[in-house]
């Protein structure tokens, strides 16, 4: 167990350091997110009231779309440089690779969320600093990364790669999308967390199911 | 494996006969629904197709599990065939639903849980077919197909429950105290007959399709062996 945790920590650290040194992916995701916020502004020139209602939806859409950029990259280093075999030999259990990639993707999503929310607040002059919103988005990021890591590990090995990832991933994410947007809009409108417990339960159930299945099947994805 | 199969022939003919039988039942035996009139008759095919859509994707998920456990190519053929057929029936269910919805709900489309789930499910399995097409190695293709069929099917109930947390106008036939549609005995009988016939139809097409895939694979193997025999002979001579 201790050994596993150490393996995961090393793998996550490796990916984070690798990304931090180039910052290619973070820069791309950040630019994409901000540009999308600008597009939304001009696509829906709304009065302040309806804009406030749409905030949760817009933020989540931006995070989901920008997130696919990061997911697409999450296995490319290993795939392109033939490091998968070395990685598989280095870990005591193949599912640890999934765990590590999942945690890295989750951290990237959280980082992205932490960038998008203040920028949205700034651009649209709407205060969004609510712990309840943070909880909903964290649960969403968990589900998104759990499904996204598994799908990215498959698409990176196909011919269509980046093209295929959103097509495979988005249908699986529908429950997450609905739950996050509904719960987040309710929370932003001042509804108590207890009153959106249905959506939160759904998110937790989805996350647990998706993470469990991914761990079970991941070995089949990377083994020849 | 590739020779003619008597049972399959009999089942195929039986399905064709039953198809016309059910068609006649829908037209002449089932009475016209009081509120909706003639258009309600699309229901028998609509509901049966929707059922086959679900069944086909369940079969694909089970075939996926079987493949991962046993690595038998036939499980892969079964899964892929089932998805293809399921997509056709899902499309039939969706479009027949729209034909029904327009006069009754006065709209082609509504964000009802069943409609939404069916359509998202269809896109899940279109993605499944795209994933298979993007892979060359048959063993890897089978493996990835199996995984995606399992994961995809696992999200279907969640998609349904999440869209159900919103209001619905779709008639509930099962599982609720009051039904929104006036159904009498002949209508239930026609519905049951349609469901049985469609299930048989699905099984027969599935069987044919799996045989075709196996035959194709067999042929590819023979061609490869032939090419190798000729090339090998040329090199050694």
């Amino acid at each position: 167990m201790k050994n596993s945790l150490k393996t995961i920590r090393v793998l996550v650290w490796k990916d984070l350091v690798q990304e931090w040194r180039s910052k290619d992916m973070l820069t791309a995701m950040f630019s994409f997110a901000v540009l999308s916020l600008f597009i939304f502004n001009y696509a829906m020139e709304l009065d302040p009231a309806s804009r406030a209602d749409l905030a949760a939806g817009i933020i989540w859409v931006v995070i989901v779309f920008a997130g696919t950029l990061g997911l697409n990259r999450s296995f490319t280093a290993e795939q392109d440089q033939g490091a998968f075999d070395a990685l598989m030999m280095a870990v005591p259990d193949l599912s640890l690779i999934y765990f590590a990639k999942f945690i890295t993707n989750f951290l990237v999503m959280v980082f992205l969320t932490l960038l998008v929310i203040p920028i949205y607040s700034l651009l649209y002059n709407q205060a969004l600093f609510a712990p309840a919103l943070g909880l909903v988005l964290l649960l969403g990021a968990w589900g998104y990364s759990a499904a996204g890591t598994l799908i990215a590990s498959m698409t990176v090995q196909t011919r269509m790669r980046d093209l295929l990832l959103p097509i495979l991933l988005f249908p699986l994410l529908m429950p997450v999308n609905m739950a996050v947007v509904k719960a987040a809009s309710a929370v932003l409108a001042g509804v108590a967390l207890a009153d959106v417990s249905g959506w939160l339960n759904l998110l937790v159930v989805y996350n647990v199911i998706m993470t469990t299945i991914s761990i079970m099947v991941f070995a089949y994805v990377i083994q020849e | 494996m590739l020779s003619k199969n008597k049972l399959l022939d009999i089942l195929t003919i039986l399905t064709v006969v039953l198809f016309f039988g059910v068609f006649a039942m829908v037209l002449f035996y089932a009475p016209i629904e009081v509120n909706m009139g003639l258009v309600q008759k699309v229901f028998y095919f609509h509901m049966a197709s929707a059922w086959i859509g679900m069944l086909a994707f369940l079969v694909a998920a089970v075939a996926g599990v079987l493949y991962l456990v046993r690595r038998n190519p036939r499980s892969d053929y079964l899964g892929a065939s089932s998805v293809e057929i399921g997509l056709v029936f899902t499309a039939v269910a969706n479009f027949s639903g729209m034909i029904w919805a327009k006069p009754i709900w006065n709209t082609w489309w509504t964000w009802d849980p069943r409609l939404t789930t069916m359509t998202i499910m269809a896109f899940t399995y279109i993605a499944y077919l795209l994933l298979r097409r993007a892979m060359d190695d048959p063993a890897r293709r089978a493996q990835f197909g199996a995984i995606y069929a399992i994961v995809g099917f696992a999200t279907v109930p969640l998609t349904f429950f999440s869209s159900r947390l919103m209001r619905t106008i779709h008639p509930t036939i099962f599982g609720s105290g009051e039904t929104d549609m006036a159904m009498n005995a002949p209508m239930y009988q026609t519905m049951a007959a349609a469901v049985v016939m469609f299930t048989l139809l699905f099984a027969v097409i599935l069987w044919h399709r799996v045989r075709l895939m196996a035959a194709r694979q067999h042929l590819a193997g023979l061609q490869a062996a032939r090419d190798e025999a000729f090339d090998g002979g040329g090199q050694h001579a």
Side-chain angles (χ1 to χ4, degrees):
Chain A
M1 186 66 205
K2 206 176 158 199
N3 198 9
S4 304
L5 286 178
K6 192 171 170 236
T7 310
I8 292 176
R9 206 170 60 223
V10 170
L11 289 176
V12 171
W13 187 245
K14 166 191 78 82
D15 280 348
L16 291 180
V17 167
Q18 198 182 13
E19 178 49 38
W20 191 250
R21 290 204 177 136
S22 71
K23 299 187 195 66
D24 288 347
M25 185 181 86
L26 289 178
T27 315
M29 286 169 86
F30 173 74
S31 310
F32 184 94
V34 175
L35 289 171
S36 313
L37 286 177
F38 273 80
I39 293 175
F40 272 114
N41 180 50
Y42 293 112
M44 317 183 177
E45 266 190 73
L46 300 164
D47 56 290
S50 23
R51 194 192 287 159
D53 288 344
L54 283 174
I58 291 177
I59 288 172
W60 183 246
V61 168
V62 167
I63 290 173
V64 162
F65 286 169
T68 59
L69 298 181
L71 283 178
N72 262 327
R73 300 268 300 183
S74 63
F75 286 91
T76 43
E78 282 85 356
Q79 180 72 14
D80 291 347
Q81 291 156 28
F84 253 129
D85 295 335
L87 196 59
M88 279 159 68
M89 279 186 278
V91 295
D93 189 316
L94 290 177
S95 62
L96 295 180
I97 301 178
Y98 173 81
F99 265 116
K101 290 288 180 187
F102 161 66
I103 291 171
T104 311
N105 285 328
F106 177 76
L107 292 177
V108 169
M109 290 299 286
V110 171
F111 187 71
L112 182 68
T113 312
L114 289 178
L115 286 177
V116 167
I117 290 192
I119 294 173
Y120 187 95
S121 295
L122 188 96
L123 290 177
Y124 292 88
N125 195 21
Q126 186 181 352
L128 292 171
F129 296 95
L133 178 69
L135 175 72
V136 173
L137 291 177
L138 275 183
L139 284 174
W142 173 9
Y144 185 88
S145 320
T149 306
L150 178 70
I151 299 302
S153 69
M154 297 206 283
T155 52
V156 76
Q157 301 181 56
T158 66
R159 259 187 284 115
M160 294 202 273
R161 275 200 176 188
D162 304 19
L163 187 64
L164 213 48
L165 179 90
I167 306 298
L168 287 173
L169 181 59
F170 288 174
L172 305 182
L173 281 180
M174 279 310 165
V176 179
N177 292 340
M178 283 189 246
V180 167
V181 171
K182 279 280 156 189
S185 343
V187 164
L188 281 182
V191 176
L193 257 189
D195 294 326
V196 292
S197 59
W199 293 115
L200 296 181
N201 290 343
L202 190 95
L203 272 175
V204 172
V205 169
Y206 179 95
N207 293 350
V208 170
I209 291 178
M210 194 47 90
T211 315
T212 314
I213 296 182
S214 301
I215 291 167
M216 285 163 68
V217 299
F218 186 72
Y220 296 106
V221 177
I222 56 171
Q223 255 170 339
E224 292 289 325
Chain B
M1 176 169 87
L2 300 168
S3 54
K4 265 185 104 53
N5 189 314
K6 253 264 163 65
L7 179 62
L8 180 58
D9 289 344
I10 296 170
L11 280 178
T12 309
I13 294 166
L14 182 68
T15 309
V16 174
V17 173
L18 278 179
F19 184 86
F20 286 106
V22 168
F23 206 75
M25 266 181 99
V26 169
L27 288 183
F28 306 114
Y29 181 66
I32 292 170
E33 212 263 353
V34 269
N35 297 319
M36 304 189 206
L38 266 180
V39 71
Q40 182 267 347
K41 290 199 184 268
V42 81
F43 157 74
Y44 303 105
F45 298 106
H46 170 70
M47 195 251 149
S49 308
W51 149 247
I52 297 305
M54 278 310 281
L55 179 67
F57 298 140
L58 172 67
V59 169
V62 173
V65 174
L66 281 180
Y67 182 81
L68 291 184
V69 176
R70 297 223 203 103
R71 304 295 170 124
N72 183 346
R74 288 209 81 127
S75 306
D76 179 49
Y77 305 153
L78 182 68
S81 310
S82 200
V83 165
E84 285 176 1
I85 302 165
L87 264 177
V88 175
F89 279 98
T90 310
V92 170
N94 256 331
F95 286 109
S96 60
M98 284 168 122
I99 292 169
W100 188 10
K102 183 59 186 160
I104 303 304
W105 297 338
N106 198 26
T107 172
W108 294 106
W109 185 261
T110 156
W111 293 100
D112 161 80
R114 262 147 291 201
L115 259 74
T116 318
T117 309
M118 261 320 215
T119 310
I120 292 170
M121 201 165 76
F123 278 101
T124 311
Y125 291 99
I126 290 172
Y128 170 93
L129 294 181
L130 281 173
L131 174 66
R132 293 183 67 95
R133 284 178 51 148
M135 309 209 53
D136 297 318
D137 176 18
R140 302 288 283 159
R141 180 172 59 217
Q143 223 163 312
F144 282 21
I147 292 169
Y148 194 71
I150 296 168
V151 180
F153 195 74
T155 60
V156 168
L158 293 166
T159 306
F160 180 73
F161 284 123
S162 45
S163 35
R164 195 172 208 175
L165 279 172
M166 301 170 195
R167 222 164 56 89
T168 176
I169 56 170
H170 194 285
T172 310
I173 310 297
F174 304 106
S176 94
E178 48 169 315
T179 55
D180 308 312
M181 204 160 76
M183 296 263 290
N184 62 12
M187 290 166 105
Y188 274 117
Q189 286 155 11
T190 310
M191 184 184 81
V195 166
V196 170
M197 185 276 282
F198 267 64
T199 308
L200 193 62
L201 178 65
F202 166 66
V204 166
I205 301 176
L206 186 62
W207 194 345
H208 278 293
R209 189 76 183 94
V210 170
R211 275 166 60 89
L212 180 63
M213 280 193 178
R216 216 173 250 170
Q217 200 61 35
H218 189 62
L219 179 66
L222 288 178
Q223 281 169 338
R226 181 201 61 192
D227 292 345
E228 200 172 318
F230 279 112
D231 291 349
Q235 275 161 14
H236 289 297

